[in-house]
Amino acid sequence: MTEQQFDLIVIGGGGVGSSTAYFAALRKLNVLVLEQFPRGHEQGSSHGETRVIRTAYHEHPDYVPLAQNAYKLWQRIEDRFERALLSPCGLMLAGPPDAETIHGARTASDLHGIELEDVPAQEFQERFPGFNLPEGYEVVYEPNAGFLDVEECVETFFELAQLKGAQFAWDSPVTHWESDGESVTVFVGEKTFHARNLVIASGAWSNQLLNETPGFPSLEVLRKFMVWFPVRADSYDLSLGSSIFHYTMPYGEFYGFPSLDGETVKVCEHSGGRTVSPPFKEAPEMMDSDLEPLERFLTDVMPDLEPQSESYSPCLYTLTSDRHFIVDEHPQHQNVHFAAGLSGHGFKFVNVIGKALADLVIDRETEQPISFLSLKRFTNPGF
Ligand SMILES: Cc1cc2nc3c(=O)[nH]c(=O)nc-3n(C[C@H](O)[C@H](O)[C@H](O)COP(=O)(O)OP(=O)(O)OC[C@H]3O[C@@H](n4cnc5c(N)ncnc54)[C@H](O)[C@@H]3O)c2cc1C
């Protein structure tokens, strides 16, 4: 019996892989996704209820057009398939005047005309009940920011991709792959799979699958925790208009979401984290050193939360040295593409990254503005 030849194999069924599978299948490719864990697993980076989506992009204004495309595309998928994926609720950024979040958001807003309000300190208490504002802090508010239901987004892509004919092989850890430029062979233990094209969307495991790629930088993987704290009052209720918040404190960066259930609030530290290595089984338990900065933040800023956590979930950040993603064609194989190093802020973009990867596979070009995320910036810094 001859083995099936796919148009495209995608390694990884997380945020990027599920989206790539959908957009490639939509464009009539015969797609196979190989995922090492079961469907809906919580071992990678695309789980834990919520992800921030915002467009006044403080990390770099080059992300703004991509974030605007992502925002519209999430809304189009919601409308077309009657899914609830994106909840606009606004985002409050608080920090000292030199905080990168505040001046970065202002720069992005000025350059791209994004609505961003300066909130005077005397209006703060009334507008953000349940939050304290440290002396001398500035506040800006992005009214159109919101959050994505992370599990629902990934599941939506799985379902839509399957409807378009994509196949998924769960519990299929890829050990290595080969390409001769025309076709690829992908190895899962003793089994081999064949396709004309390969997309590698392997999140925290990218170093293992891309380590022989010329110019590919070693990515650092950090263990992070999402922590849910019980509320003492209804100050943070989504239903009462509470927003996402992000504070730059002298001891770290903290953010969280409005209460979805009226009982708990999810709060995370964006800074910090412990470096971990494959297979990332170590340190899934939260330690005092993970919790202490969060407790200090709650004591300083959120008096209506109990500082003793109710539950938590571990997650992985995969960081490039400049904290920007890499989305590109493999420098040696034109039929291999990858997205890696989404650096703790990539979920909002997985729809447009998946669409761009499908375009690159089929057309070798894309209208998505991703050239600033090229691998070449590591080998040719002037690029
Ligand atoms: C705590 C936390 C909070 C975050 N908050 C935000 C936020 O608010 N907003 C935002 O935009 N982003 C946020 N992010 C970042 C965002 O979630 C990630 O950038 C994004 O989910 C990464 O998607 P991915 O597809 O690259 O990785 P993943 O979703 O982890 O997918 C990679 C998949 O590849 C599979 N895989 C790996 N190797 C193999 C192999 N050899 N064979 C088969 N399968 C393999 C893995 O099992 C995994 O399922 C956050 C991340 C974390 C951890």
Side-chain angles (χ1 to χ4, degrees), residues 11-17 34-37 41 43-47 50-54 57 148 150 172-175 201-206 209 224-226 255 257 266 268 313 315-317 325 339-350:
I11 305 177
V16 176
L34 296 169
E35 164 56 51
Q36 63 184 339
F37 296 126
H41 75 87
Q43 314 281 318
S45 307
S46 300
H47 61 277
T50 44
R51 290 291 185 272
V52 183
I53 178 162
R54 53 193 159 83
Y57 222 73
L148 294 160
V150 56
S172 300
V174 172
T175 44
S202 51
W205 291 262
S206 298
L209 291 170
K224 311 287 289 190
F225 292 93
M226 300 171 275
Y255 69 96
F257 297 82
K266 177 179 147 185
C268 310
S313 174
C315 194
L316 298 168
Y317 272 18
F325 322 148
L342 270 61
S343 297
H345 61 111
F347 192 83
K348 64 186 77 58
F349 299 102
V350 298

